[in-house]
C-alpha cells in the first residue's frame, strides 16, 4: 500500500496493508489523533481497514481559532 505523507513536506512510503489504519499510522510513528487520513475523497477513521494496492494520503490536522 502506498502512503503519501504531507506533514508538511510530501513523502511517499510503502507499507503492508490489510489492517486497521491505526496500525499503519503507529508503524509510521504518527499519532492517529493528530492526523487526517483520506482514501480518494473518503475521510478514514482509525478503525477502518486499509488494503494492499490502495493509496491513502495523510495530512496534519490543524486547528486554530
Amino acid at each position: 500500500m502506498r502512503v503519501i505523507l504531507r506533514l508538511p513536506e510530501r513523502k511517499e512510503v510503502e507499507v503492508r496493508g490489510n489492517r486497521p489504519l491505526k496500525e499503519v499510522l503507529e508503524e509510521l510513528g504518527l499519532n492517529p489523533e493528530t492526523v487526517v487520513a483520506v482514501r480518494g475523497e473518503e475521510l478514514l477513521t482509525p478503525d477502518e481497514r486499509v488494503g494492499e494496492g490502495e493509496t491513502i494520503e495523510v495530512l496534519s490536522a490543524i486547528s486554530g481559532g
Side-chain angles (χ1 to χ4, degrees), residues 44-58:
L44 300 173
T45 64
D47 294 328
E48 276 192 71
R49 294 191 74 80
V50 290
E52 293 296 328
E54 294 183 342
T55 298
I56 62 170
E57 197 164 346
V58 178

Side-chain angles (χ1 to χ4, degrees), residues 22-38:
K22 182 178 179 179
E23 286 183 20
V24 173
L25 296 175
E26 289 172 349
E27 177 183 324
L28 296 171
L30 302 171
N31 181 343
E33 295 180 11
T34 63
V35 297
V36 175
V38 179

